[in-house]
Amino acid sequence: MSEKFYSKKIWMALGASRVHHASCNSQAKNQRVELTPWDLDLLPAGPIQRGLVFPKPKHSQEEETDENTLIDHLRTSLSRTLDYFPLLAGRLAATDHDDDTVSFFIDCNKAGALFIHAEADGVTISDIVKPVYVPSIVHSFFPLNGMKNYEGISKALLGVQVTELVDGIFVGCTMNHSVADGTFFWCFINSWSEISREDAIPPPLKERIFHFSKQSIARLKAKANLEVSTNNISSLQAILSHFWRSIIRNKNVHPFEEMSYYMITGAGQRLQRLPKQYFGNALKRGSIIMKAKEVQEQGVGQIAREMNRIISKQTEEEFIKDLESWIASPRLPKRDWLMRNIMATSSSPRFNVYGNDFGWGRPIAARSGSVNHFDGMLTLLCGAEEGSIEVEACLSPETLDAMANDHEFMETVWGDRPGFKNSRLPK
């Protein structure tokens, strides 16, 4: 491809800003870091410039990550990374001495790193990596070009430029060589990528309400109890077992991947010493962990029976032991319990949702906000019709679309069949 292709018209800076560390640690401000002779020797030289080419992130085959979301994410994660590398948000400073000499040091003054968002219109990954000779436009993907290290007195010690390509992202980084060597440079990049990955952009999710009528629930409960020759399985356990099997059946997971189902049990009816006037959380979490293949091979009854077993274990004694254990060793749940292949249930169909009348009639529907939603969260509500249950499923669009075509699952869902009418809807 000729150099003529890479005209300046195709490159456009969409925005430049200063990025500061996320925390407000006053101790880092105005801290002085002396330069070594090795550092000083590089003052007349140029900075380190390295860049990485990535494909555009995709959460599904059909939907790409929104560019603005990606840029904001990288800017935020860069700010968090500067908490651990505060000198990169500073500037060089010079002191004149009486003997006509000058000394340089790093002033951690929180002046900020340079962050540029740019776009190379019409340039693809292949245009960059396939030519025998590196195209000159690549040089424009780096900030602070032409700078000498001693100019760090007035210019950023760290500059990052994120350039959007047609099918990719180029992350170019420029770091003052009098401040850092190659080891430090890649330590910074490694740390930034790790922090960015830990706070990854969440995949696109959708919510759908599934209605289960009183009659459908009764049939599911009867089926579950019949399969395992018992009458201990509840209506809710039968629904959740049925739901979990359908989700795994319609999710793209390996048969031997571990699947977890977290169930929240309330202490209200189990902890007798808890006063009725108690206002606050009183919950305990239990879980089922099985291979995806096992969930599919077992019927609704076997999965529901396992759910029943876990819930039955949540006795008053267990609640007290759990509280005493937490007090002895306080701990918070790890983020990974909300990661891939996790299902969890919140709320309860026992709550009085549709009985609320503020003076102009009862509600016709109930919905949830976006907080605490993740791929696999099921929110339970009583239905608008007596004895019915609504399940708000937060899942990937692909899983929800596949479930809509799952006859075994959808034949139990009320409201997605011809002739369904919500009697509360305005006429």
Short mmCIF file of all heavy atoms in Angstrom, two decimals, residues 337-363:
data_model
loop_
_atom_site.label_atom_id
_atom_site.label_comp_id
_atom_site.label_asym_id
_atom_site.label_seq_id
_atom_site.Cartn_x
_atom_site.Cartn_y
_atom_site.Cartn_z
N TRP A 337 -17.70 -14.41 42.54
CA TRP A 337 -18.97 -15.15 42.66
C TRP A 337 -20.04 -14.56 41.74
O TRP A 337 -21.11 -15.12 41.59
CB TRP A 337 -19.43 -15.20 44.11
CG TRP A 337 -20.22 -14.04 44.61
CD1 TRP A 337 -19.72 -12.88 45.11
CD2 TRP A 337 -21.65 -13.91 44.70
NE1 TRP A 337 -20.72 -12.04 45.49
CE2 TRP A 337 -21.92 -12.65 45.24
CE3 TRP A 337 -22.72 -14.74 44.35
CZ2 TRP A 337 -23.22 -12.20 45.45
CZ3 TRP A 337 -24.01 -14.29 44.57
CH2 TRP A 337 -24.25 -13.04 45.11
N LEU A 338 -19.72 -13.41 41.12
CA LEU A 338 -20.66 -12.82 40.16
C LEU A 338 -20.13 -12.96 38.74
O LEU A 338 -20.51 -12.22 37.86
CB LEU A 338 -20.85 -11.33 40.48
CG LEU A 338 -21.47 -11.03 41.84
CD1 LEU A 338 -21.59 -9.52 42.02
CD2 LEU A 338 -22.84 -11.67 41.99
N MET A 339 -19.23 -13.91 38.53
CA MET A 339 -18.64 -14.06 37.22
C MET A 339 -19.39 -15.11 36.39
O MET A 339 -20.51 -15.46 36.65
CB MET A 339 -17.16 -14.42 37.35
CG MET A 339 -16.33 -13.32 38.01
SD MET A 339 -16.26 -11.78 37.06
CE MET A 339 -17.31 -10.72 38.04
N ARG A 340 -18.70 -15.64 35.38
CA ARG A 340 -19.28 -16.54 34.41
C ARG A 340 -19.87 -17.79 35.06
O ARG A 340 -19.34 -18.31 36.04
CB ARG A 340 -18.19 -16.93 33.39
CG ARG A 340 -18.63 -17.94 32.34
CD ARG A 340 -17.50 -18.17 31.36
NE ARG A 340 -17.76 -19.33 30.51
CZ ARG A 340 -18.51 -19.31 29.43
NH1 ARG A 340 -19.10 -18.19 29.08
NH2 ARG A 340 -18.68 -20.39 28.70
N ASN A 341 -20.98 -18.26 34.50
CA ASN A 341 -21.62 -19.51 34.90
C ASN A 341 -22.19 -19.48 36.32
O ASN A 341 -22.28 -20.51 36.98
CB ASN A 341 -20.66 -20.70 34.75
CG ASN A 341 -20.27 -20.92 33.30
OD1 ASN A 341 -20.95 -20.46 32.39
ND2 ASN A 341 -19.17 -21.62 33.08
N ILE A 342 -22.54 -18.30 36.76
CA ILE A 342 -23.17 -18.14 38.07
C ILE A 342 -24.64 -17.79 37.87
O ILE A 342 -24.98 -16.93 37.07
CB ILE A 342 -22.50 -17.02 38.89
CG1 ILE A 342 -21.04 -17.37 39.20
CG2 ILE A 342 -23.27 -16.73 40.16
CD1 ILE A 342 -20.87 -18.49 40.18
N MET A 343 -25.50 -18.48 38.59
CA MET A 343 -26.91 -18.12 38.66
C MET A 343 -27.21 -17.74 40.10
O MET A 343 -26.66 -18.31 41.03
CB MET A 343 -27.79 -19.30 38.26
CG MET A 343 -27.67 -19.73 36.80
SD MET A 343 -28.32 -18.50 35.68
CE MET A 343 -30.01 -18.41 36.27
N ALA A 344 -28.07 -16.75 40.27
CA ALA A 344 -28.45 -16.34 41.62
C ALA A 344 -29.88 -15.84 41.61
O ALA A 344 -30.38 -15.37 40.58
CB ALA A 344 -27.51 -15.25 42.14
N THR A 345 -30.52 -15.96 42.75
CA THR A 345 -31.92 -15.56 42.89
C THR A 345 -32.02 -14.44 43.92
O THR A 345 -31.41 -14.51 44.98
CB THR A 345 -32.78 -16.76 43.35
OG1 THR A 345 -32.63 -17.82 42.43
CG2 THR A 345 -34.23 -16.36 43.42
N SER A 346 -32.81 -13.42 43.59
CA SER A 346 -33.05 -12.34 44.54
C SER A 346 -34.56 -12.13 44.66
O SER A 346 -35.33 -12.56 43.81
CB SER A 346 -32.37 -11.04 44.09
OG SER A 346 -33.02 -10.51 42.95
N SER A 347 -34.94 -11.43 45.72
CA SER A 347 -36.34 -11.10 46.01
C SER A 347 -37.13 -12.38 46.31
O SER A 347 -36.56 -13.47 46.46
CB SER A 347 -36.97 -10.32 44.86
OG SER A 347 -38.19 -9.75 45.25
N SER A 348 -38.45 -12.26 46.39
CA SER A 348 -39.29 -13.40 46.75
C SER A 348 -40.72 -13.19 46.25
O SER A 348 -41.24 -12.06 46.30
CB SER A 348 -39.31 -13.59 48.27
OG SER A 348 -40.31 -14.52 48.66
N PRO A 349 -41.37 -14.25 45.80
CA PRO A 349 -42.77 -14.13 45.38
C PRO A 349 -43.72 -13.96 46.57
O PRO A 349 -44.92 -13.74 46.38
CB PRO A 349 -43.04 -15.45 44.65
CG PRO A 349 -42.05 -16.41 45.19
CD PRO A 349 -40.83 -15.59 45.53
N ARG A 350 -43.17 -14.04 47.80
CA ARG A 350 -44.01 -13.83 48.99
C ARG A 350 -44.26 -12.35 49.25
O ARG A 350 -45.17 -11.99 49.99
CB ARG A 350 -43.34 -14.46 50.22
CG ARG A 350 -43.28 -15.98 50.20
CD ARG A 350 -42.95 -16.50 51.60
NE ARG A 350 -42.90 -17.95 51.63
CZ ARG A 350 -41.78 -18.65 51.65
NH1 ARG A 350 -40.62 -18.02 51.64
NH2 ARG A 350 -41.80 -19.97 51.68
N PHE A 351 -43.44 -11.49 48.67
CA PHE A 351 -43.60 -10.05 48.93
C PHE A 351 -44.88 -9.53 48.30
O PHE A 351 -45.25 -9.93 47.19
CB PHE A 351 -42.41 -9.27 48.37
CG PHE A 351 -41.08 -9.61 49.02
CD1 PHE A 351 -39.89 -9.44 48.33
CD2 PHE A 351 -41.03 -10.10 50.31
CE1 PHE A 351 -38.68 -9.74 48.91
CE2 PHE A 351 -39.82 -10.42 50.91
CZ PHE A 351 -38.64 -10.24 50.20
N ASN A 352 -45.55 -8.66 49.02
CA ASN A 352 -46.80 -8.07 48.53
C ASN A 352 -46.46 -6.94 47.56
O ASN A 352 -46.22 -5.80 47.95
CB ASN A 352 -47.63 -7.54 49.69
CG ASN A 352 -48.95 -6.93 49.24
OD1 ASN A 352 -49.30 -6.99 48.06
ND2 ASN A 352 -49.68 -6.33 50.16
N VAL A 353 -46.45 -7.25 46.28
CA VAL A 353 -46.08 -6.28 45.24
C VAL A 353 -47.32 -5.65 44.63
O VAL A 353 -47.42 -4.42 44.53
CB VAL A 353 -45.23 -6.96 44.15
CG1 VAL A 353 -44.97 -6.01 42.99
CG2 VAL A 353 -43.92 -7.47 44.74
N TYR A 354 -48.27 -6.46 44.24
CA TYR A 354 -49.43 -5.96 43.49
C TYR A 354 -50.59 -5.52 44.38
O TYR A 354 -51.63 -5.09 43.89
CB TYR A 354 -49.90 -7.02 42.48
CG TYR A 354 -48.97 -7.12 41.30
CD1 TYR A 354 -47.96 -8.08 41.27
CD2 TYR A 354 -49.08 -6.24 40.23
CE1 TYR A 354 -47.09 -8.17 40.19
CE2 TYR A 354 -48.22 -6.31 39.15
CZ TYR A 354 -47.23 -7.28 39.13
OH TYR A 354 -46.36 -7.35 38.06
N GLY A 355 -50.40 -5.59 45.69
CA GLY A 355 -51.46 -5.13 46.58
C GLY A 355 -51.34 -3.67 46.95
O GLY A 355 -52.14 -3.16 47.74
N ASN A 356 -50.36 -2.98 46.40
CA ASN A 356 -50.12 -1.58 46.75
C ASN A 356 -51.04 -0.65 45.96
O ASN A 356 -51.03 -0.65 44.73
CB ASN A 356 -48.66 -1.21 46.49
CG ASN A 356 -47.72 -1.99 47.39
OD1 ASN A 356 -47.65 -1.76 48.58
ND2 ASN A 356 -46.99 -2.94 46.79
N ASP A 357 -51.81 0.14 46.68
CA ASP A 357 -52.75 1.09 46.08
C ASP A 357 -52.54 2.44 46.75
O ASP A 357 -52.80 2.59 47.94
CB ASP A 357 -54.18 0.60 46.25
CG ASP A 357 -55.21 1.48 45.58
OD1 ASP A 357 -54.86 2.62 45.18
OD2 ASP A 357 -56.36 1.06 45.46
N PHE A 358 -52.02 3.42 45.99
CA PHE A 358 -51.76 4.74 46.54
C PHE A 358 -52.98 5.67 46.43
O PHE A 358 -52.89 6.84 46.73
CB PHE A 358 -50.57 5.38 45.82
CG PHE A 358 -49.25 4.77 46.21
CD1 PHE A 358 -48.77 3.66 45.53
CD2 PHE A 358 -48.50 5.28 47.25
CE1 PHE A 358 -47.55 3.08 45.87
CE2 PHE A 358 -47.28 4.72 47.61
CZ PHE A 358 -46.80 3.61 46.93
N GLY A 359 -54.09 5.12 46.00
CA GLY A 359 -55.31 5.90 45.94
C GLY A 359 -55.96 5.94 44.58
O GLY A 359 -57.06 6.47 44.43
N TRP A 360 -55.30 5.34 43.57
CA TRP A 360 -55.92 5.33 42.23
C TRP A 360 -55.87 3.96 41.58
O TRP A 360 -55.94 3.80 40.38
CB TRP A 360 -55.26 6.37 41.31
CG TRP A 360 -53.79 6.15 41.07
CD1 TRP A 360 -53.22 5.38 40.10
CD2 TRP A 360 -52.70 6.68 41.82
NE1 TRP A 360 -51.86 5.40 40.18
CE2 TRP A 360 -51.51 6.20 41.24
CE3 TRP A 360 -52.61 7.52 42.93
CZ2 TRP A 360 -50.24 6.53 41.73
CZ3 TRP A 360 -51.34 7.85 43.40
CH2 TRP A 360 -50.19 7.36 42.81
N GLY A 361 -55.76 2.94 42.42
CA GLY A 361 -55.79 1.57 41.92
C GLY A 361 -54.47 0.85 42.10
O GLY A 361 -53.46 1.45 42.45
N ARG A 362 -54.50 -0.43 41.89
CA ARG A 362 -53.31 -1.27 42.05
C ARG A 362 -52.40 -1.19 40.82
O ARG A 362 -52.85 -0.84 39.73
CB ARG A 362 -53.73 -2.72 42.30
CG ARG A 362 -54.48 -2.91 43.61
CD ARG A 362 -54.80 -4.38 43.82
NE ARG A 362 -55.50 -4.58 45.09
CZ ARG A 362 -55.83 -5.78 45.56
NH1 ARG A 362 -55.55 -6.87 44.85
NH2 ARG A 362 -56.47 -5.89 46.72
N PRO A 363 -51.12 -1.54 40.98
CA PRO A 363 -50.19 -1.49 39.83
C PRO A 363 -50.53 -2.54 38.79
O PRO A 363 -51.14 -3.57 39.11
CB PRO A 363 -48.83 -1.75 40.47
CG PRO A 363 -49.12 -2.49 41.73
CD PRO A 363 -50.43 -1.96 42.22
#
